[in-house]
Amino acid sequence: MNEDNYLKFKNSKEQKFLFLYSSFSDLSNFLLNIVKNDNSQTVVISDTISKALSFYKIAEQYISKDNIEIIHKNLNKTQIFSAYKNINSGKTKLIIGTKTAIFSPFSNLKTIIILDEESIYHKQYDQNPRYNVKDVAEYMANISKDLKLIYTSSSPSIETYNKNLEIINIKDNIKKELNIIFIEGDYIDTIKDNIEKAQELNKKVVIINNNRLHSSSIICNDCGYIEKCVKCNIPLKLDKNINKEVCKICGLEKDIISYCPVCKSTNIKFIGIGNQKIYQKLNEIYQNKKIKIIDKSIRQININEINSLDIIIGTDFLIKNYLAYINNIYSLILFSVDDYFIMPDFKSNEFMFRYIVNITNIAKEKNINKIYIKTKHKNDAILNYALSNDYLSFFQEEIKTRKLLNYPPFSIIIKLIIKDKNKKEYDKKIAKIKDILYNAQKIETLGENTKLNKNETHIIIKINKEEYNNLKDIIKNISKYALLDINPEFLIK
C-alpha cells in the first residue's frame, strides 16, 4: 500500500497534501522515504520537542547526521547559529524542529511537512506575534509554486480537511481490536481491579484526567448551592496543595468556605474527580506502590523514572510528552471525556474527537487493549465516531453545525486582548474599542472576559469570511488599542 501511496504522491501535480496516518513510526518512515534522496531542503515542523527528537532518531537511519539539523527553544545561541549556518550554506538537507524552525535561513527549500497539523501547539498564543505556523507555511507555498506543503494528521482540523487537499492515506488497515469499557460504578474499585491484574503481569496502569486539582466543584449538600468565580461565573475547584478554592480561568484564589452562604449549612461537599483526590485515595490503599502525578507543574522527569512507576496519574501534558514512550501498560483509564461536553468553545467536539483518537492510536501501537472511560455520555454520537475512528462521519456532522452557526471555516474569530498597566489608559482603550464595535456593521461580539485583579480584558468577535477584507480598516483601527489573536485555539484561556 505504501508503494502505491509513494507513487501517487510523486506523480501528483498538486502542491498541497494531507497525509492521514494512525502509526507515527509508519508515518515517519514513509516521509523519510520521500525525502532521503532529495538534494533540496525539507523542513519538518513538530508540535513538541519530544516528537521532533523522535523523528530525528528515525531520520538518522535514512540520512547522514551531517545533513540534519534540529531547531527548538532549548538550544543555546551558539547551537542555533551553527545550525543556521549549515542550513544557509545548503549543507543541511533535513531541518527538524518546532514552529520557529519555519523561519530558518533556507537556501533551497522545496518541501514543508507539518506533523499533526491539528495540534494547538502550532499556534503562538502567549506572546506576539501570535502566528500559526500553518499560516506561515501556506504563505510560503503561495509565493513559491514549486514548494510542496504536506500536512499530516490522525484526526485533521475541520479547517484543514475542508480545504479538499489531495489525501494520501497511509493508515494501517489492520484492525486492532480495543476493549472499550465504560465505568459504571465506583471508579476506585475499577482502578483497584486494574492494578491487581496489572501486578500479576508486571505491568502498570495509566490514569488520564485533565483536572489536576482535588475536586471540580464545591457544593452545599443541603440546598445545592455551587461556589462560583465572581468574575468568570464557573465553578471553583479545590486545590489541596494550597488548601484554597481556585478558578482555572482567571486564577482567583480564596479560602475554602466552612458553611453555605445561602442556607448556612455546614454540609459542604467537594465533588468531581481530580488527580490530587485519586492520588490521595490510591496512596492510602497502596503504600508500597510507586505512584506519581505527571502534569505541567512537574519540573523535571525522565522516561526511565516514569517507566519505573506502578501507577501513573497524568493530564494532557502526559499524553503530549510521555505516553507514547511508556512501556508495559496494562490499561488506560480516562476521566476527562465529560469536560468536553461542558467546554464553552465551538471546537469542543473537535477537541474531544482528537483526544480520543490520539489515545486509541497510541493504545493500538503499544498493544494496550483495554481502555476504561468514565462518562455520562456513552451514547453520544461524536464520542462513538471517535471510538470507532470514523473521521468522515464526524466531519460531515461537525461541518453542518459550523455552517449553521457560522463558525470557522465559514467565519474568522478574533480575540481582542486589551491590557495596560495604567488603569486610566486601560479604561480608555476598552471604551474606544467598544465604541468602534458598537458602530461597526457585520462584526458580531461573542463575549468578553476580564482577568481578576489585572488590567486585562479579552473580547471575542466574529466576522464572515467573505466580509473580512472589507473590514480590514476597522480591524486595523482596533489594533491601535488591542492585541489581535486571529483564530485563537481557545475562546477562553
mmCIF file with all atom_site columns, all heavy atoms in Angstrom, residues 356-375:
data_model
loop_
_atom_site.group_PDB
_atom_site.id
_atom_site.type_symbol
_atom_site.label_atom_id
_atom_site.label_alt_id
_atom_site.label_comp_id
_atom_site.label_asym_id
_atom_site.label_entity_id
_atom_site.label_seq_id
_atom_site.pdbx_PDB_ins_code
_atom_site.Cartn_x
_atom_site.Cartn_y
_atom_site.Cartn_z
_atom_site.occupancy
_atom_site.B_iso_or_equiv
_atom_site.pdbx_formal_charge
_atom_site.auth_seq_id
_atom_site.auth_comp_id
_atom_site.auth_asym_id
_atom_site.auth_atom_id
_atom_site.pdbx_PDB_model_num
ATOM 1   N N   . ILE A 1 356 ? -9.683  11.463 21.950 1.00 0.00 ? 356 ILE A N   1
ATOM 2   C CA  . ILE A 1 356 ? -9.954  10.020 21.943 1.00 0.00 ? 356 ILE A CA  1
ATOM 3   C C   . ILE A 1 356 ? -9.128  9.305  20.876 1.00 0.00 ? 356 ILE A C   1
ATOM 4   O O   . ILE A 1 356 ? -8.522  8.259  21.134 1.00 0.00 ? 356 ILE A O   1
ATOM 5   C CB  . ILE A 1 356 ? -11.457 9.737  21.723 1.00 0.00 ? 356 ILE A CB  1
ATOM 6   C CG1 . ILE A 1 356 ? -12.292 10.269 22.909 1.00 0.00 ? 356 ILE A CG1 1
ATOM 7   C CG2 . ILE A 1 356 ? -11.721 8.256  21.487 1.00 0.00 ? 356 ILE A CG2 1
ATOM 8   C CD1 . ILE A 1 356 ? -12.085 9.521  24.199 1.00 0.00 ? 356 ILE A CD1 1
ATOM 9   N N   . VAL A 1 357 ? -9.099  9.838  19.657 1.00 0.00 ? 357 VAL A N   1
ATOM 10  C CA  . VAL A 1 357 ? -8.370  9.188  18.556 1.00 0.00 ? 357 VAL A CA  1
ATOM 11  C C   . VAL A 1 357 ? -6.878  9.106  18.866 1.00 0.00 ? 357 VAL A C   1
ATOM 12  O O   . VAL A 1 357 ? -6.233  8.080  18.611 1.00 0.00 ? 357 VAL A O   1
ATOM 13  C CB  . VAL A 1 357 ? -8.612  9.926  17.221 1.00 0.00 ? 357 VAL A CB  1
ATOM 14  C CG1 . VAL A 1 357 ? -7.646  9.464  16.147 1.00 0.00 ? 357 VAL A CG1 1
ATOM 15  C CG2 . VAL A 1 357 ? -10.049 9.710  16.764 1.00 0.00 ? 357 VAL A CG2 1
ATOM 16  N N   . ASN A 1 358 ? -6.336  10.172 19.433 1.00 0.00 ? 358 ASN A N   1
ATOM 17  C CA  . ASN A 1 358 ? -4.920  10.167 19.786 1.00 0.00 ? 358 ASN A CA  1
ATOM 18  C C   . ASN A 1 358 ? -4.601  9.051  20.774 1.00 0.00 ? 358 ASN A C   1
ATOM 19  O O   . ASN A 1 358 ? -3.629  8.301  20.606 1.00 0.00 ? 358 ASN A O   1
ATOM 20  C CB  . ASN A 1 358 ? -4.539  11.531 20.386 1.00 0.00 ? 358 ASN A CB  1
ATOM 21  C CG  . ASN A 1 358 ? -3.054  11.678 20.637 1.00 0.00 ? 358 ASN A CG  1
ATOM 22  O OD1 . ASN A 1 358 ? -2.244  10.977 20.043 1.00 0.00 ? 358 ASN A OD1 1
ATOM 23  N ND2 . ASN A 1 358 ? -2.697  12.586 21.510 1.00 0.00 ? 358 ASN A ND2 1
ATOM 24  N N   . ILE A 1 359 ? -5.439  8.929  21.795 1.00 0.00 ? 359 ILE A N   1
ATOM 25  C CA  . ILE A 1 359 ? -5.211  7.896  22.818 1.00 0.00 ? 359 ILE A CA  1
ATOM 26  C C   . ILE A 1 359 ? -5.407  6.495  22.239 1.00 0.00 ? 359 ILE A C   1
ATOM 27  O O   . ILE A 1 359 ? -4.608  5.583  22.499 1.00 0.00 ? 359 ILE A O   1
ATOM 28  C CB  . ILE A 1 359 ? -6.128  8.131  24.030 1.00 0.00 ? 359 ILE A CB  1
ATOM 29  C CG1 . ILE A 1 359 ? -5.653  9.369  24.797 1.00 0.00 ? 359 ILE A CG1 1
ATOM 30  C CG2 . ILE A 1 359 ? -6.165  6.917  24.946 1.00 0.00 ? 359 ILE A CG2 1
ATOM 31  C CD1 . ILE A 1 359 ? -6.556  9.800  25.915 1.00 0.00 ? 359 ILE A CD1 1
ATOM 32  N N   . THR A 1 360 ? -6.453  6.297  21.443 1.00 0.00 ? 360 THR A N   1
ATOM 33  C CA  . THR A 1 360 ? -6.696  4.954  20.889 1.00 0.00 ? 360 THR A CA  1
ATOM 34  C C   . THR A 1 360 ? -5.599  4.554  19.902 1.00 0.00 ? 360 THR A C   1
ATOM 35  O O   . THR A 1 360 ? -5.209  3.384  19.846 1.00 0.00 ? 360 THR A O   1
ATOM 36  C CB  . THR A 1 360 ? -8.077  4.866  20.209 1.00 0.00 ? 360 THR A CB  1
ATOM 37  O OG1 . THR A 1 360 ? -8.206  5.899  19.234 1.00 0.00 ? 360 THR A OG1 1
ATOM 38  C CG2 . THR A 1 360 ? -9.196  4.990  21.231 1.00 0.00 ? 360 THR A CG2 1
ATOM 39  N N   . ASN A 1 361 ? -5.063  5.518  19.149 1.00 0.00 ? 361 ASN A N   1
ATOM 40  C CA  . ASN A 1 361 ? -3.961  5.204  18.233 1.00 0.00 ? 361 ASN A CA  1
ATOM 41  C C   . ASN A 1 361 ? -2.707  4.776  18.997 1.00 0.00 ? 361 ASN A C   1
ATOM 42  O O   . ASN A 1 361 ? -2.017  3.821  18.615 1.00 0.00 ? 361 ASN A O   1
ATOM 43  C CB  . ASN A 1 361 ? -3.632  6.401  17.340 1.00 0.00 ? 361 ASN A CB  1
ATOM 44  C CG  . ASN A 1 361 ? -4.601  6.545  16.177 1.00 0.00 ? 361 ASN A CG  1
ATOM 45  O OD1 . ASN A 1 361 ? -5.315  5.607  15.837 1.00 0.00 ? 361 ASN A OD1 1
ATOM 46  N ND2 . ASN A 1 361 ? -4.632  7.709  15.575 1.00 0.00 ? 361 ASN A ND2 1
ATOM 47  N N   . ILE A 1 362 ? -2.406  5.492  20.078 1.00 0.00 ? 362 ILE A N   1
ATOM 48  C CA  . ILE A 1 362 ? -1.257  5.117  20.913 1.00 0.00 ? 362 ILE A CA  1
ATOM 49  C C   . ILE A 1 362 ? -1.486  3.742  21.520 1.00 0.00 ? 362 ILE A C   1
ATOM 50  O O   . ILE A 1 362 ? -0.584  2.900  21.569 1.00 0.00 ? 362 ILE A O   1
ATOM 51  C CB  . ILE A 1 362 ? -1.014  6.173  22.012 1.00 0.00 ? 362 ILE A CB  1
ATOM 52  C CG1 . ILE A 1 362 ? -0.524  7.486  21.385 1.00 0.00 ? 362 ILE A CG1 1
ATOM 53  C CG2 . ILE A 1 362 ? 0.019   5.677  23.025 1.00 0.00 ? 362 ILE A CG2 1
ATOM 54  C CD1 . ILE A 1 362 ? -0.429  8.645  22.369 1.00 0.00 ? 362 ILE A CD1 1
ATOM 55  N N   . ALA A 1 363 ? -2.720  3.489  21.975 1.00 0.00 ? 363 ALA A N   1
ATOM 56  C CA  . ALA A 1 363 ? -3.040  2.188  22.569 1.00 0.00 ? 363 ALA A CA  1
ATOM 57  C C   . ALA A 1 363 ? -2.826  1.058  21.573 1.00 0.00 ? 363 ALA A C   1
ATOM 58  O O   . ALA A 1 363 ? -2.260  0.009  21.910 1.00 0.00 ? 363 ALA A O   1
ATOM 59  C CB  . ALA A 1 363 ? -4.485  2.192  23.075 1.00 0.00 ? 363 ALA A CB  1
ATOM 60  N N   . LYS A 1 364 ? -3.269  1.263  20.340 1.00 0.00 ? 364 LYS A N   1
ATOM 61  C CA  . LYS A 1 364 ? -3.088  0.228  19.307 1.00 0.00 ? 364 LYS A CA  1
ATOM 62  C C   . LYS A 1 364 ? -1.609  0.001  18.997 1.00 0.00 ? 364 LYS A C   1
ATOM 63  O O   . LYS A 1 364 ? -1.160  -1.138 18.857 1.00 0.00 ? 364 LYS A O   1
ATOM 64  C CB  . LYS A 1 364 ? -3.838  0.625  18.039 1.00 0.00 ? 364 LYS A CB  1
ATOM 65  C CG  . LYS A 1 364 ? -5.352  0.536  18.158 1.00 0.00 ? 364 LYS A CG  1
ATOM 66  C CD  . LYS A 1 364 ? -6.048  1.081  16.919 1.00 0.00 ? 364 LYS A CD  1
ATOM 67  C CE  . LYS A 1 364 ? -7.570  1.061  17.072 1.00 0.00 ? 364 LYS A CE  1
ATOM 68  N NZ  . LYS A 1 364 ? -8.254  1.657  15.914 1.00 0.00 ? 364 LYS A NZ  1
ATOM 69  N N   . GLU A 1 365 ? -0.870  1.099  18.897 1.00 0.00 ? 365 GLU A N   1
ATOM 70  C CA  . GLU A 1 365 ? 0.551   0.982  18.562 1.00 0.00 ? 365 GLU A CA  1
ATOM 71  C C   . GLU A 1 365 ? 1.339   0.300  19.675 1.00 0.00 ? 365 GLU A C   1
ATOM 72  O O   . GLU A 1 365 ? 2.308   -0.402 19.424 1.00 0.00 ? 365 GLU A O   1
ATOM 73  C CB  . GLU A 1 365 ? 1.136   2.371  18.276 1.00 0.00 ? 365 GLU A CB  1
ATOM 74  C CG  . GLU A 1 365 ? 2.459   2.339  17.566 1.00 0.00 ? 365 GLU A CG  1
ATOM 75  C CD  . GLU A 1 365 ? 2.818   3.663  16.905 1.00 0.00 ? 365 GLU A CD  1
ATOM 76  O OE1 . GLU A 1 365 ? 2.099   4.659  17.092 1.00 0.00 ? 365 GLU A OE1 1
ATOM 77  O OE2 . GLU A 1 365 ? 3.829   3.696  16.200 1.00 0.00 ? 365 GLU A OE2 1
ATOM 78  N N   . LYS A 1 366 ? 0.900   0.482  20.929 1.00 0.00 ? 366 LYS A N   1
ATOM 79  C CA  . LYS A 1 366 ? 1.624   -0.097 22.067 1.00 0.00 ? 366 LYS A CA  1
ATOM 80  C C   . LYS A 1 366 ? 0.950   -1.368 22.595 1.00 0.00 ? 366 LYS A C   1
ATOM 81  O O   . LYS A 1 366 ? 1.301   -1.858 23.675 1.00 0.00 ? 366 LYS A O   1
ATOM 82  C CB  . LYS A 1 366 ? 1.735   0.944  23.189 1.00 0.00 ? 366 LYS A CB  1
ATOM 83  C CG  . LYS A 1 366 ? 2.507   2.188  22.774 1.00 0.00 ? 366 LYS A CG  1
ATOM 84  C CD  . LYS A 1 366 ? 2.776   3.110  23.922 1.00 0.00 ? 366 LYS A CD  1
ATOM 85  C CE  . LYS A 1 366 ? 3.843   2.539  24.843 1.00 0.00 ? 366 LYS A CE  1
ATOM 86  N NZ  . LYS A 1 366 ? 5.166   2.396  24.194 1.00 0.00 ? 366 LYS A NZ  1
ATOM 87  N N   . ASN A 1 367 ? -0.024  -1.879 21.825 1.00 0.00 ? 367 ASN A N   1
ATOM 88  C CA  . ASN A 1 367 ? -0.719  -3.124 22.183 1.00 0.00 ? 367 ASN A CA  1
ATOM 89  C C   . ASN A 1 367 ? -1.366  -3.066 23.572 1.00 0.00 ? 367 ASN A C   1
ATOM 90  O O   . ASN A 1 367 ? -1.321  -4.025 24.338 1.00 0.00 ? 367 ASN A O   1
ATOM 91  C CB  . ASN A 1 367 ? 0.246   -4.316 22.099 1.00 0.00 ? 367 ASN A CB  1
ATOM 92  C CG  . ASN A 1 367 ? 0.690   -4.580 20.687 1.00 0.00 ? 367 ASN A CG  1
ATOM 93  O OD1 . ASN A 1 367 ? -0.122  -4.591 19.755 1.00 0.00 ? 367 ASN A OD1 1
ATOM 94  N ND2 . ASN A 1 367 ? 1.985   -4.795 20.499 1.00 0.00 ? 367 ASN A ND2 1
ATOM 95  N N   . ILE A 1 368 ? -1.961  -1.919 23.862 1.00 0.00 ? 368 ILE A N   1
ATOM 96  C CA  . ILE A 1 368 ? -2.769  -1.786 25.083 1.00 0.00 ? 368 ILE A CA  1
ATOM 97  C C   . ILE A 1 368 ? -4.208  -2.052 24.657 1.00 0.00 ? 368 ILE A C   1
ATOM 98  O O   . ILE A 1 368 ? -4.783  -1.288 23.898 1.00 0.00 ? 368 ILE A O   1
ATOM 99  C CB  . ILE A 1 368 ? -2.661  -0.361 25.674 1.00 0.00 ? 368 ILE A CB  1
ATOM 100 C CG1 . ILE A 1 368 ? -1.203  0.037  25.876 1.00 0.00 ? 368 ILE A CG1 1
ATOM 101 C CG2 . ILE A 1 368 ? -3.440  -0.247 26.975 1.00 0.00 ? 368 ILE A CG2 1
ATOM 102 C CD1 . ILE A 1 368 ? -1.005  1.529  26.082 1.00 0.00 ? 368 ILE A CD1 1
ATOM 103 N N   . ASN A 1 369 ? -4.791  -3.131 25.113 1.00 0.00 ? 369 ASN A N   1
ATOM 104 C CA  . ASN A 1 369 ? -6.102  -3.476 24.550 1.00 0.00 ? 369 ASN A CA  1
ATOM 105 C C   . ASN A 1 369 ? -7.276  -3.116 25.457 1.00 0.00 ? 369 ASN A C   1
ATOM 106 O O   . ASN A 1 369 ? -8.422  -3.383 25.125 1.00 0.00 ? 369 ASN A O   1
ATOM 107 C CB  . ASN A 1 369 ? -6.159  -4.964 24.184 1.00 0.00 ? 369 ASN A CB  1
ATOM 108 C CG  . ASN A 1 369 ? -6.119  -5.869 25.399 1.00 0.00 ? 369 ASN A CG  1
ATOM 109 O OD1 . ASN A 1 369 ? -5.873  -5.408 26.507 1.00 0.00 ? 369 ASN A OD1 1
ATOM 110 N ND2 . ASN A 1 369 ? -6.346  -7.146 25.182 1.00 0.00 ? 369 ASN A ND2 1
ATOM 111 N N   . LYS A 1 370 ? -7.005  -2.449 26.597 1.00 0.00 ? 370 LYS A N   1
ATOM 112 C CA  . LYS A 1 370 ? -8.108  -2.074 27.482 1.00 0.00 ? 370 LYS A CA  1
ATOM 113 C C   . LYS A 1 370 ? -8.086  -0.569 27.760 1.00 0.00 ? 370 LYS A C   1
ATOM 114 O O   . LYS A 1 370 ? -7.092  -0.039 28.244 1.00 0.00 ? 370 LYS A O   1
ATOM 115 C CB  . LYS A 1 370 ? -8.028  -2.839 28.805 1.00 0.00 ? 370 LYS A CB  1
ATOM 116 C CG  . LYS A 1 370 ? -8.454  -4.301 28.699 1.00 0.00 ? 370 LYS A CG  1
ATOM 117 C CD  . LYS A 1 370 ? -8.603  -4.926 30.063 1.00 0.00 ? 370 LYS A CD  1
ATOM 118 C CE  . LYS A 1 370 ? -9.117  -6.356 29.930 1.00 0.00 ? 370 LYS A CE  1
ATOM 119 N NZ  . LYS A 1 370 ? -9.328  -6.985 31.250 1.00 0.00 ? 370 LYS A NZ  1
ATOM 120 N N   . ILE A 1 371 ? -9.208  0.062  27.441 1.00 0.00 ? 371 ILE A N   1
ATOM 121 C CA  . ILE A 1 371 ? -9.378  1.475  27.764 1.00 0.00 ? 371 ILE A CA  1
ATOM 122 C C   . ILE A 1 371 ? -10.682 1.631  28.542 1.00 0.00 ? 371 ILE A C   1
ATOM 123 O O   . ILE A 1 371 ? -11.750 1.248  28.066 1.00 0.00 ? 371 ILE A O   1
ATOM 124 C CB  . ILE A 1 371 ? -9.414  2.349  26.493 1.00 0.00 ? 371 ILE A CB  1
ATOM 125 C CG1 . ILE A 1 371 ? -8.081  2.264  25.743 1.00 0.00 ? 371 ILE A CG1 1
ATOM 126 C CG2 . ILE A 1 371 ? -9.712  3.803  26.854 1.00 0.00 ? 371 ILE A CG2 1
ATOM 127 C CD1 . ILE A 1 371 ? -8.043  3.074  24.468 1.00 0.00 ? 371 ILE A CD1 1
ATOM 128 N N   . TYR A 1 372 ? -10.562 2.181  29.743 1.00 0.00 ? 372 TYR A N   1
ATOM 129 C CA  . TYR A 1 372 ? -11.735 2.429  30.590 1.00 0.00 ? 372 TYR A CA  1
ATOM 130 C C   . TYR A 1 372 ? -12.097 3.908  30.495 1.00 0.00 ? 372 TYR A C   1
ATOM 131 O O   . TYR A 1 372 ? -11.221 4.774  30.537 1.00 0.00 ? 372 TYR A O   1
ATOM 132 C CB  . TYR A 1 372 ? -11.446 2.064  32.046 1.00 0.00 ? 372 TYR A CB  1
ATOM 133 C CG  . TYR A 1 372 ? -11.313 0.587  32.280 1.00 0.00 ? 372 TYR A CG  1
ATOM 134 C CD1 . TYR A 1 372 ? -10.127 -0.091 31.971 1.00 0.00 ? 372 TYR A CD1 1
ATOM 135 C CD2 . TYR A 1 372 ? -12.363 -0.162 32.814 1.00 0.00 ? 372 TYR A CD2 1
ATOM 136 C CE1 . TYR A 1 372 ? -9.991  -1.454 32.182 1.00 0.00 ? 372 TYR A CE1 1
ATOM 137 C CE2 . TYR A 1 372 ? -12.236 -1.526 33.031 1.00 0.00 ? 372 TYR A CE2 1
ATOM 138 C CZ  . TYR A 1 372 ? -11.053 -2.169 32.714 1.00 0.00 ? 372 TYR A CZ  1
ATOM 139 O OH  . TYR A 1 372 ? -10.928 -3.520 32.914 1.00 0.00 ? 372 TYR A OH  1
ATOM 140 N N   . ILE A 1 373 ? -13.403 4.204  30.383 1.00 0.00 ? 373 ILE A N   1
ATOM 141 C CA  . ILE A 1 373 ? -13.847 5.581  30.232 1.00 0.00 ? 373 ILE A CA  1
ATOM 142 C C   . ILE A 1 373 ? -14.944 5.891  31.244 1.00 0.00 ? 373 ILE A C   1
ATOM 143 O O   . ILE A 1 373 ? -15.946 5.180  31.329 1.00 0.00 ? 373 ILE A O   1
ATOM 144 C CB  . ILE A 1 373 ? -14.381 5.848  28.806 1.00 0.00 ? 373 ILE A CB  1
ATOM 145 C CG1 . ILE A 1 373 ? -13.279 5.590  27.761 1.00 0.00 ? 373 ILE A CG1 1
ATOM 146 C CG2 . ILE A 1 373 ? -14.898 7.278  28.682 1.00 0.00 ? 373 ILE A CG2 1
ATOM 147 C CD1 . ILE A 1 373 ? -13.748 5.716  26.331 1.00 0.00 ? 373 ILE A CD1 1
ATOM 148 N N   . LYS A 1 374 ? -14.729 6.951  32.011 1.00 0.00 ? 374 LYS A N   1
ATOM 149 C CA  . LYS A 1 374 ? -15.742 7.438  32.945 1.00 0.00 ? 374 LYS A CA  1
ATOM 150 C C   . LYS A 1 374 ? -16.508 8.558  32.263 1.00 0.00 ? 374 LYS A C   1
ATOM 151 O O   . LYS A 1 374 ? -15.950 9.627  31.983 1.00 0.00 ? 374 LYS A O   1
ATOM 152 C CB  . LYS A 1 374 ? -15.067 7.952  34.223 1.00 0.00 ? 374 LYS A CB  1
ATOM 153 C CG  . LYS A 1 374 ? -16.013 8.507  35.270 1.00 0.00 ? 374 LYS A CG  1
ATOM 154 C CD  . LYS A 1 374 ? -16.800 7.417  35.973 1.00 0.00 ? 374 LYS A CD  1
ATOM 155 C CE  . LYS A 1 374 ? -17.583 7.971  37.152 1.00 0.00 ? 374 LYS A CE  1
ATOM 156 N NZ  . LYS A 1 374 ? -18.476 6.964  37.743 1.00 0.00 ? 374 LYS A NZ  1
ATOM 157 N N   . THR A 1 375 ? -17.774 8.342  31.934 1.00 0.00 ? 375 THR A N   1
ATOM 158 C CA  . THR A 1 375 ? -18.567 9.357  31.240 1.00 0.00 ? 375 THR A CA  1
ATOM 159 C C   . THR A 1 375 ? -20.059 9.143  31.491 1.00 0.00 ? 375 THR A C   1
ATOM 160 O O   . THR A 1 375 ? -20.509 8.018  31.734 1.00 0.00 ? 375 THR A O   1
ATOM 161 C CB  . THR A 1 375 ? -18.301 9.329  29.713 1.00 0.00 ? 375 THR A CB  1
ATOM 162 O OG1 . THR A 1 375 ? -19.110 10.321 29.084 1.00 0.00 ? 375 THR A OG1 1
ATOM 163 C CG2 . THR A 1 375 ? -18.630 7.977  29.112 1.00 0.00 ? 375 THR A CG2 1
#
